[in-house]
C-alpha cells in the first residue's frame, strides 16, 4: 500500500452477487432485491491508514474488469489525497488557533501577575509587564518605559558586579536570588529574583521574575527582637510536644494495670514492674523538662560520658511499645563494642525518639496517600562507631514519603513543619539539632 497513490488491485474487493460462493450469501438476497449485480470496495488510505471505504455498485454481474479496477483505483487514490489535504489544513488551522489561544492565555497571566516580570537579551530589556512598570516607577505610560534599558542600570551599584557575572554565565538551574535594585526615581528596594531562559523573538532571552520584599525584610528585622519574647511560649509548645510520648506510656501502663487489678489477674511482680515503669517515665518527664531548658540556652545539669548505643537502644525499645498493631517494624544494628559519647544520655534518647516519630509519620502519610491500609512501614536504626576517628554515626531511615525538596533547607528551623495543623509544632527536629550541636555533632537530613 502506498500513500496517496493508485490502490493496488489486491486491495479492492469485487463481489458478484449472482455468484454461488457461500461467502456472498449474507448480502446476496438484499443486493439482488435492489437490482445490484456486482460491487467493488475501494479503501481510502489517508496518512498510511485506511480511513474509510468507497463502495461502487453495478446492475450487471462482473461489471468491473481489470481496466475499470485500475481507473477506480486511481479515483480512490485522488480522493484519499484530497481527504489527506483537508485533514492537514484542519490540523494547521487548529494548531494556529491553539497557538493564538496559548499566547493570549500566557500574555494575560504575565500581565496580571502581581510580580514584576522582565525579559532581556544580552542585558537589554525587551519586555516588561505592567507590574514591572509599577515596581520600577515608570511614570510616563506613553514611553517605552523599561524597553531598551540596560538591566544593570536597574541594579544597585553594590550588586552590579555579581549581576553582570550572572548575565555572562549560563543558567544551570532556576534559583532564588536576593538583590538590591533601583527604581527609575532613584529609590532602592530589596527583591527576590528567579531567572530562567527561553526563546523570544527568535533570540535566547532571560526571563526574570522580581518580587519586592522590602516590607517583608523590614518586618523580619523588627521581629528579631520580638522573637526573644516568644521563648517562653516556645518552651511551652516544646514541652507539650516532648512530654506527649512519656505521658502516653504512663497512661497505657496505669490503665493496663488497673484493668488487670480489677479482674484480679495482676500479680505483685506485674504491678511492681508497672509502677517502676511509671516512676521511670516520671523521671524521664522531669529530664525532658530540663531538656527544654537546655534548648532555651539555659544549660542545667552536668554532662557525662555514656554509651551512645545503649541510649539508642533504650529509645528504640520505648518507641516500639507504641507501635502495636500499627504495621510498623523497626530493625536495628548496634556496634559490638561500647560507643562512648560526651553529653547527656536522655537527650540522645530524645533525639532518636524524635527521628523515629518523624519517620513513623512519613510512613503513615504514605499509607494514607496510597490508600493501601496493608502497607507495612519499615524503620531502620543503624549505629556504628569508629574508634580511629572518634566518631559515632546514628542513621534513622524509613520507607515513607521522604522529605519534600523545598523543606530540606528549613527542616531544622524552629516551628517549621510540613505536617497538618494539630499534628506537629515544628520544634522536635530543631530541638534535636540543638542537642546534637551541643554535643559537638551534626544532624543532617536527606532523601536516599
Amino acid at each position: 500500500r502506498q500513500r496517496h497513490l493508485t490502490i493496488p488491485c489486491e486491495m479492492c474487493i469485487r463481489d458478484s452477487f449472482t455468484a454461488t460462493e457461500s461467502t456472498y450469501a449474507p448480502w446476496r438476497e438484499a443486493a439482488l432485491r435492489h437490482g445490484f449485480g456486482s460491487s467493488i470496495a475501494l479503501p481510502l488510505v489517508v496518512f498510511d491508514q485506511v480511513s474509510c471505504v468507497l463502495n461502487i455498485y453495478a446492475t450487471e454481474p462482473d461489471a468491473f474488469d481489470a481496466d475499470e479496477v485500475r481507473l477506480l483505483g486511481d479515483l480512490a487514490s485522488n480522493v484519499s489525497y484530497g481527504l489527506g489535504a483537508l485533514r492537514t489544513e484542519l490540523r494547521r488551522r487548529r494548531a494556529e488557533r491553539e497557538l493564538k489561544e496559548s499566547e493570549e492565555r500566557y500574555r494575560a497571566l504575565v500581565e496580571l501577575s502581581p510580580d514584576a516580570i522582565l525579559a532581556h537579551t544580552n542585558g537589554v530589556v525587551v519586555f516588561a509587564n505592567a507590574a514591572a512598570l509599577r515596581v520600577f516607577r515608570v511614570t510616563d505610560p506613553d514611553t517605552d518605559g523599561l524597553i531598551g534599558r540596560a538591566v544593570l542600570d536597574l541594579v544597585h551599584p553594590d550588586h552590579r558586579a555579581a549581576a553582570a557575572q550572572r548575565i555572562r554565565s549560563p543558567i544551570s538551574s532556576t534559583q532564588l536570588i536576593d538583590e538590591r535594585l533601583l527604581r527609575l526615581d532613584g529609590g532602592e528596594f530589596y527583591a527576590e529574583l528567579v531567572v530562567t531562559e527561553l526563546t523570544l523573538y527568535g533570540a535566547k532571552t532571560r526571563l526574570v521574575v522580581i518580587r519586592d520584599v522590602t516590607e517583608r525584610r523590614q518586618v523580619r528585622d523588627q521581629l528579631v527582637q520580638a522573637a526573644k519574647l516568644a521563648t517562653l511560649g516556645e518552651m511551652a509548645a516544646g514541652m507539650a510536644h516532648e512530654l506527649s510520648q512519656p505521658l502516653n506510656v504512663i497512661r497505657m501502663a496505669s490503665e493496663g494495670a488497673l484493668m488487670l487489678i480489677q479482674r484480679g489477674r495482676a500479680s505483685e511482680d506485674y504491678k511492681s514492674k508497672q509502677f517502676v515503669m511509671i516512676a521511670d517515665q516520671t523521671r524521664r518527664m522531669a529530664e525532658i523538662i530540663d531538656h527544654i531548658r537546655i534548648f532555651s540556652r539555659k544549660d542545667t545539669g552536668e554532662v557525662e560520658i555514656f554509651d551512645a548505643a545503649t541510649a539508642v537502644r533504650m529509645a528504640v525499645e520505648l518507641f516500639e511499645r507504641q507501635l502495636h498493631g500499627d504495621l510498623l517494624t523497626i530493625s536495628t544494628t548496634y556496634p559490638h563494642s561500647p560507643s562512648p559519647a560526651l553529653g547527656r544520655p536522655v537527650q540522645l534518647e530524645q533525639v532518636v525518639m524524635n527521628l523515629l516519630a518523624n519517620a513513623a509519620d512519613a510512613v503513615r502519610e504514605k499509607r494514607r496517600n496510597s490508600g493501601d491500609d496493608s502497607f507495612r512501614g519499615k524503620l531502620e536504626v543503624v549505629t556504628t562507631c569508629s574508634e580511629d576517628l572518634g566518631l559515632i554515626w546514628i542513621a534513622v531511615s524509613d520507607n515513607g514519603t521522604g522529605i519534600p525538596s523545598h523543606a530540606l533547607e528549613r527542616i531544622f528551623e524552629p516551628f517549621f513543619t510540613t505536617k497538618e495543623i494539630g499534628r506537629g509544632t515544628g520544634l522536635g527536629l530543631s530541638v534535636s539539632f540543638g542537642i546534637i550541636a551541643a554535643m559537638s555533632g551534626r544532624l543532617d537530613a536527606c532523601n536516599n
Side-chain angles (χ1 to χ4, degrees):
R1 212 183 325 183
Q2 298 186 18
R3 183 176 178 182
H4 303 324
L5 297 179
T6 301
I7 311 251
C9 292
E10 56 267 21
M11 293 189 61
C12 303
I13 301 175
R14 289 177 287 174
D15 296 342
S16 179
F17 295 113
T18 60
T20 59
E21 284 84 351
S22 59
T23 53
Y24 302 140
W27 58 85
R28 182 186 299 116
E29 182 179 347
L32 293 175
R33 188 168 59 249
H34 288 81
F36 298 152
S38 59
S39 73
I40 183 171
L42 302 158
L44 301 183
V45 181
V46 180
F47 301 133
D48 296 328
Q49 291 184 345
V50 176
S51 177
C52 54
V53 177
L54 175 62
N55 289 295
I56 301 176
Y57 298 88
T59 57
E60 64 273 9
D62 299 321
F64 305 100
D65 56 20
D67 290 336
E68 292 203 22
V69 169
R70 180 178 54 79
L71 292 173
L72 291 174
D74 292 341
L75 172 64
S77 180
N78 291 334
V79 174
S80 298
Y81 181 84
L83 290 174
L86 287 174
R87 290 190 180 182
T88 300
E89 177 64 16
L90 288 174
R91 291 180 181 178
R92 184 188 65 80
R93 291 181 181 179
R94 186 184 302 116
E96 288 181 351
R97 184 176 65 255
E98 291 176 351
L99 178 61
K100 182 178 179 181
E101 292 174 354
S102 176
E103 290 177 350
E104 292 175 351
R105 182 166 57 252
Y106 284 106
R107 178 171 290 276
L109 289 174
V110 169
E111 290 297 339
L112 294 175
S113 171
D115 294 327
I117 299 178
L118 294 179
H120 68 87
T121 302
N122 297 324
V124 178
V125 178
V126 295
F127 171 82
N129 70 345
L133 301 182
R134 293 193 299 269
V135 168
F136 287 98
R137 305 284 171 80
V138 176
T139 57
D140 189 353
D142 295 330
T143 66
D144 290 336
L146 300 173
I147 306 301
R149 289 182 178 271
V151 172
L152 292 180
D153 291 344
L154 305 176
V155 180
H156 192 278
D158 295 344
H159 290 240
R160 282 179 185 167
Q165 178 62 33
R166 284 197 304 272
I167 292 175
R168 291 191 297 267
S169 304
I171 298 177
S172 56
S173 61
T174 301
Q175 59 181 349
L176 191 65
I177 303 168
D178 291 323
E179 201 159 63
R180 288 170 68 188
L181 302 179
L182 293 177
R183 308 185 199 274
L184 296 187
D185 59 5
E188 63 180 64
F189 65 100
Y190 290 92
E192 288 180 347
L193 279 62
V194 175
V195 183
T196 189
E197 199 167 60
L198 49 79
T199 301
L200 186 65
Y201 307 130
K204 288 292 184 181
T205 304
R206 295 199 176 183
L207 190 70
V208 186
V209 181
I210 303 169
R211 176 168 295 179
D212 187 346
V213 294
T214 304
E215 293 184 3
R216 191 173 72 188
R217 286 177 62 98
Q218 292 173 349
V219 171
R220 186 183 65 184
D221 293 341
Q222 294 170 0
L223 288 176
V224 170
Q225 182 63 27
K228 296 179 182 179
L229 302 178
T231 302
L232 182 60
E234 180 179 341
M235 290 172 58
M239 289 173 62
H241 176 78
E242 303 291 337
L243 294 176
S244 61
Q245 294 170 350
L247 280 174
N248 285 333
V249 174
I250 293 172
R251 179 180 61 81
M252 289 187 291
S254 59
E255 289 179 353
L258 286 173
M259 181 180 65
L260 293 181
I261 290 173
Q262 291 170 354
R263 296 179 181 180
R265 296 170 54 187
S267 64
E268 291 299 321
D269 182 60
Y270 172 79
K271 289 187 285 186
S272 176
K273 289 182 178 179
Q274 295 302 99
F275 283 121
V276 168
M277 181 187 298
I278 292 173
D280 289 342
Q281 293 305 310
T282 304
R283 285 193 296 270
R284 183 178 185 83
M285 291 172 64
E287 291 178 338
I288 290 174
I289 294 173
D290 189 42
H291 161 87
I292 297 297
R293 294 196 189 99
I294 294 176
F295 175 66
S296 61
R297 303 187 183 277
K298 292 182 180 180
D299 190 9
T300 61
E302 305 230 347
V303 298
E304 59 181 292
I305 296 177
F306 66 96
D307 184 11
T310 300
V312 173
R313 182 180 287 107
M314 292 179 64
V316 171
E317 291 175 355
L318 179 59
F319 189 79
E320 279 183 319
R321 297 191 186 105
Q322 309 173 39
L323 301 181
H324 179 69
D326 201 11
L327 296 180
L328 280 170
T329 58
I330 303 178
S331 62
T332 56
T333 303
Y334 301 109
H336 299 293
S337 57
S339 306
L342 183 64
R344 301 185 65 200
V346 68
Q347 293 181 358
L348 183 58
E349 290 176 37
Q350 196 61 38
V351 169
V352 177
M353 289 283 288
N354 280 331
L355 298 179
L356 286 171
N358 279 275
D361 286 341
V363 169
R364 296 184 187 109
E365 182 179 354
K366 185 173 182 178
R367 183 183 301 155
R368 287 194 300 269
N369 294 341
S370 65
D372 182 8
D373 295 336
S374 63
F375 174 75
R376 303 193 68 86
K378 296 180 181 179
L379 312 185
E380 184 177 14
V381 181
V382 178
T383 305
T384 56
C385 179
S386 172
E387 295 183 2
D388 295 338
L389 298 177
L391 296 174
I392 300 170
W393 288 275
I394 303 170
V396 179
S397 59
D398 62 81
N399 64 341
T401 57
I403 305 171
S405 57
H406 69 275
L408 275 174
E409 295 182 357
R410 301 186 56 198
I411 196 169
F412 297 116
E413 293 181 10
F415 300 109
F416 176 79
T417 180
T418 59
K419 300 176 184 177
E420 60 188 34
I421 297 175
R423 295 190 59 244
T425 63
L427 283 176
L429 290 178
S430 62
V431 169
S432 301
F433 188 88
I435 290 173
I436 299 302
M439 295 173 64
S440 299
R442 190 177 71 187
L443 181 60
D444 294 317
C446 66
N447 291 314
N448 294 328

